[in-house]
Amino acid sequence: SQTIHQWPATLVQPVGSPLSLECTVEGTSNPNLYWYRQAAGRGLQLLFYSVGIGQISSEVPQNLSASRPQDRQFILSSKKLLLSDSGFYLCAWQRISYEQYFGPGTRLTVT
Amino acid sequence: GQNIDQPTEMTATEGAIVQINCTYQTSGFNGLFWYQQHAGEAPTFLSYNVLDGLEEKGRFSSFLSRSKGYSYLLLKELQMKDSASYLCAAYNNAGNMLTFGGGTRLMVKP
């Protein structure tokens, strides 16, 4: 069966500091991978998606970036965090039948 | 562009039936998804409709009308644990992506 991992679970970072969130998937190969952000009480905003190693599509221009160095690894980064980057970050993988399954998420607070 | 609309909040009574509506306008539409999200947790997949009609899964059913750009999620025999947000999402085949609505927060009262 497939499993998706995210870490860390919780993060508190000062404004201007760097960020690196990691997501890994087990039990499947060459999945489509997605990064979403959810502000408190809001829906999910798609940030990046990847259909393969080194292939990244950005949906929202901002100070975040994503990379996919390995088939089942997806990384979200920032060089300098802003207060507005606070939120719940979710990684998801997509089955061939289109449904997406989410990791447990990382709750980021920028202070 | 992509536009998904669903009510912000709903309240229902334990044991009752509730219908959560969702309307969408998306290009390259290829299916409508429903997710459940409890507070502080990640969304979990509930259902997927690609053809018109009703899909039933236990206490939960989901309906789709592609011509009307409309879907609903029907929850029967409500339980307190059904208190959660319900997210409607439309799949865009051209972009390999889901566009989510803002979610409907359902509160089930005794």
Side-chain angles (χ1 to χ4, degrees):
Chain A
S1 64
Q2 297 83 15
T3 310
I4 181 167
H5 303 279
Q6 280 185 250
W7 62 91
T10 308
L11 195 57
V12 180
Q13 292 283 104
V15 168
S17 64
L19 174 74
S20 181
L21 302 181
E22 190 163 342
C23 169
T24 59
V25 182
E26 294 176 358
T28 186
S29 58
N30 197 32
N32 284 3
L33 296 174
Y34 301 80
W35 277 113
Y36 293 89
R37 178 171 61 201
Q38 187 175 37
R42 308 289 295 274
L44 274 66
Q45 178 188 35
L46 179 63
L47 302 175
F48 300 95
Y49 71 94
S50 172
V51 298
I53 296 174
Q55 300 179 62
I56 308 294
S57 296
S58 172
E59 289 302 304
V60 182
Q62 56 210 330
N63 68 320
L64 299 173
S65 62
S67 63
R68 187 168 176 175
Q70 300 180 43
D71 181 42
R72 289 169 287 180
Q73 183 185 31
F74 204 21
I75 297 172
L76 182 70
S77 304
S78 174
K79 291 182 180 178
K80 286 187 178 181
L81 284 169
L82 307 172
L83 283 175
S84 57
D85 291 324
S86 292
F88 191 36
Y89 286 81
L90 291 154
C91 179
W93 73 276
Q94 181 174 291
R95 295 179 72 94
I96 196 167
S97 47
Y98 304 136
E99 63 262 34
Q100 293 184 7
Y101 293 90
F102 291 86
T106 295
R107 193 162 303 281
L108 171 66
T109 304
V110 182
T111 60
Chain B
Q2 321 286 333
N3 193 39
I4 314 285
D5 288 314
Q6 51 181 132
T8 305
E9 284 190 359
M10 297 182 72
T11 302
T13 305
E14 192 176 16
I17 299 173
V18 71
Q19 178 175 312
I20 302 174
N21 296 325
C22 170
T23 57
Y24 64 89
Q25 291 177 312
T26 64
S27 56
F29 176 80
N30 197 30
L32 196 291
F33 291 80
W34 285 95
Y35 285 82
Q36 180 190 61
Q37 185 178 25
H38 285 100
E41 298 181 8
T44 55
F45 170 72
L46 286 178
S47 68
Y48 170 41
N49 293 66
V50 63
L51 301 175
D52 285 0
L54 189 68
E55 296 276 346
E56 296 187 75
K57 267 189 187 181
R59 294 190 298 115
F60 292 8
S61 303
S62 56
F63 171 83
L64 176 66
S65 169
R66 294 177 70 122
S67 61
K68 295 181 179 178
Y70 167 69
S71 173
Y72 67 73
L73 180 69
L74 193 71
L75 291 77
K76 302 176 186 175
E77 300 170 15
L78 280 171
Q79 302 175 10
M80 298 300 291
K81 68 178 182 179
D82 297 329
S83 293
S85 288
Y86 291 86
L87 308 175
C88 167
Y91 188 76
N92 179 329
N93 201 33
N96 283 304
M97 65 180 74
L98 284 175
T99 300
F100 281 84
T104 299
R105 186 179 162 200
L106 173 67
M107 289 174 281
V108 180
K109 296 187 174 179

